[in-house]
Amino acid sequence: MSMRASGAAIKVLSPFDHKTVYEVASHTGPEQKAIIAHAAGSVLPQQRALPLHSRIALVDSFLQHATSARETENIATIIAQSMGKPLQQARNEVKGLAERTQALMHMASSVLADEVLPDKPPVSRRIVREPIGVVLAISPWNYPLLTTVNVVVPAVLAGNAVVLKHSPVTAM
């Protein structure tokens, strides 16, 4: 869903000189409710229906885009300007995003597999991992990528819809 935000702009200030480095549009309360309703009504059924290999491919597509040389530098610059991290540390956060995302994709098949328990006749028993619904991820200002990846990637791999809210002090 692409909903144009009509709320007041959030000004992201440089920690160095307190000048505005970015302005990010915000959603009003009714817009936020509509986004969550869309996630629950349209996105979640689509995510649930995707087989695991397709969800892994979706996450991998995101990873390939986010870690391209151009995007890595763009993301690192935004982090450095809005948080005050040295540029190399910001690049390392993108590298950490890649490593963590790859690990989560690698683990997905075994972690999300059904678990067959010993039968207790006449009952067959198993644990089935199913999507739980819409996951709200609230990302902090200090590690906008790594903490987000820790919530968003597992949620998507498990077949959930995700609504992400970033800290108002970062442009990420």
Side-chain angles (χ1 to χ4, degrees):
M1 171 182 201
S2 178
M3 177 182 280
R4 193 175 275 293
S6 65
I10 297 171
K11 292 184 179 188
V12 179
L13 305 178
S14 165
F16 300 114
D17 59 12
H18 301 289
K19 291 182 181 175
T20 301
V21 289
Y22 297 99
E23 286 195 24
V24 182
S26 67
H27 291 284
T28 63
E31 290 170 343
Q32 293 168 6
K33 288 178 183 176
I35 290 168
I36 293 169
H38 175 73
S42 297
V43 177
L44 181 60
Q46 292 173 21
Q47 277 295 103
R48 278 188 171 152
L50 285 177
L52 179 57
H53 68 86
S54 296
R55 295 189 304 249
I56 291 171
L58 177 67
V59 170
D60 188 51
S61 175
F62 152 75
L63 180 61
Q64 297 312 311
H65 174 74
T67 58
S68 68
R70 187 173 137 239
E71 275 307 302
T72 294
E73 202 58 27
N74 182 41
I75 293 167
T77 300
I78 291 169
I79 290 172
Q81 289 176 340
S82 62
M83 295 178 50
K85 273 188 183 180
L87 191 54
Q88 187 56 50
Q89 285 183 15
R91 289 184 189 117
N92 289 344
E93 188 166 347
V94 178
K95 182 180 176 188
L97 168 142
E99 292 168 352
R100 189 138 330 147
T101 300
Q102 289 167 343
L104 291 166
M105 289 188 309
H106 179 74
M107 291 186 284
S109 294
S110 61
V111 171
L112 296 171
D114 290 354
E115 187 176 335
V116 178
L117 301 173
D119 286 344
K120 281 194 163 185
V123 177
S124 295
R125 302 180 313 156
R126 66 185 176 145
I127 297 171
V128 178
R129 272 61 175 201
E130 294 183 352
I132 59 171
V134 178
V135 175
L136 173 61
I138 301 175
S139 183
W141 68 272
N142 57 341
Y143 284 94
L145 293 180
L146 290 180
T147 52
T148 300
V149 163
N150 287 337
V151 176
V152 173
V153 170
V156 169
L157 289 171
N160 296 294
V162 178
V163 174
L164 175 63
K165 182 209 176 291
H166 275 287
S167 166
V169 294
T170 63
M172 298 301 296

